[in-house]
């Protein structure tokens, strides 16, 4: 009986020692040593990391752009109520910040805000138009190569209309 207890204690001690060695080697060993994800090449990991970072930047940029599009449309509607559409973001008390190149186009019946990012692939459009005595607005996003090319009341080809709340 005493021998059996000693064998179990030795087995437990060896198992604990093995776990301790593995833990210490993971802390001390270089990152490119043995790992469970070693089967994935470093270039694929770097590419994945780069794509995830770009996606995060795009989502943040999209959020900023959509906020500005909504503020622009509402401010232009208010401004039109008092007379005419404003000719710039500054006239509305808005700023595109350093992320976007903003262009405002207007005439007697409509105004548009084009947002072209300095980095990234998505561009954005907000349009407010007077039609039959009412103001209508719409917002779009899409490939920045198509920015600046849209028929009145429509998104550029290949872009999608977005709903801002």
């Amino acid at each position: 009986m005493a021998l059996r207890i000693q064998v179990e204690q030795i087995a437990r001690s060896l198992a604990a020692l093995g776990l301790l060695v593995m833990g210490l080697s993971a802390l001390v060993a270089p990152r490119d040593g043995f790992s469970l994800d070693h089967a994935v090449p470093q270039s694929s990991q770097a590419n994945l990391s780069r794509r995830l970072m770009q996606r995060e930047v795009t989502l943040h940029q999209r959020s900023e752009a959509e906020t500005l599009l909504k503020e622009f449309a509402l401010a232009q509607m208010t401004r039109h109520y008092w007379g005419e559409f404003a000719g710039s973001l500054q006239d509305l008390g808005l700023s595109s910040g350093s992320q976007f190149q903003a262009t405002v186009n207007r005439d007697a019946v409509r105004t548009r805000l084009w947002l072209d990012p300095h980095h990234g692939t998505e561009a954005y459009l907000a349009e407010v138009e007077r039609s039959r005595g009412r103001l209508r607005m719409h917002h779009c996003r899409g490939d920045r190569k198509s920015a600046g090319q849209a028929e009145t009341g429509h998104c550029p080809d290949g872009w999608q209309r977005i709903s801002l709340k």
Side-chain angles (χ1 to χ4, degrees), residues 2-146:
L3 182 60
R4 182 175 172 206
I5 292 174
Q6 287 179 349
V7 170
E8 287 178 4
Q9 287 177 343
I10 291 173
R12 286 185 188 148
S13 296
L14 287 175
L17 182 62
L19 289 173
L20 179 65
V21 168
M22 284 176 42
L24 289 174
S25 69
L27 290 173
V28 176
R31 289 284 180 208
D32 59 341
F34 175 77
S35 69
L36 295 176
D37 63 348
H38 198 283
V40 179
Q42 291 295 326
S43 62
S44 293
Q45 287 178 350
N47 190 25
L48 177 62
S49 178
R50 187 171 42 255
R51 286 190 352 237
L52 288 173
M53 179 61 108
Q54 180 62 39
R55 178 73 176 157
E56 184 176 332
V57 167
T58 299
L59 290 175
H60 175 71
Q61 185 171 293
R62 184 180 293 170
S63 174
E64 294 291 317
E66 289 176 354
T67 298
L68 183 57
L69 293 176
K70 182 178 178 182
E71 289 174 351
F72 170 81
L74 295 175
Q76 285 289 33
M77 292 174 89
T78 302
R79 182 70 183 255
H80 186 269
Y81 176 78
W82 292 106
E84 64 182 4
F85 293 122
S88 70
L89 287 179
Q90 291 78 16
D91 291 343
L92 298 169
L94 300 173
S95 170
S96 64
S98 62
Q99 291 186 52
F100 302 102
Q101 173 66 40
T103 306
V104 176
N105 305 106
R106 73 176 174 133
D107 59 29
V109 294
R110 89 186 41 82
T111 182
R112 286 180 168 174
L113 170 63
W114 292 95
L115 292 178
D116 190 19
H118 295 292
H119 305 286
T121 59
E122 281 187 344
Y124 308 88
L125 166 67
E127 182 178 78
V128 179
E129 176 182 26
R130 187 179 68 227
S131 175
R132 299 182 191 129
R134 301 188 79 180
L135 289 175
R136 301 178 193 276
M137 66 179 161
H138 74 271
H139 308 91
C140 309
R141 75 169 168 252
D143 186 12
R144 70 188 283 186
K145 295 173 187 168
S146 302

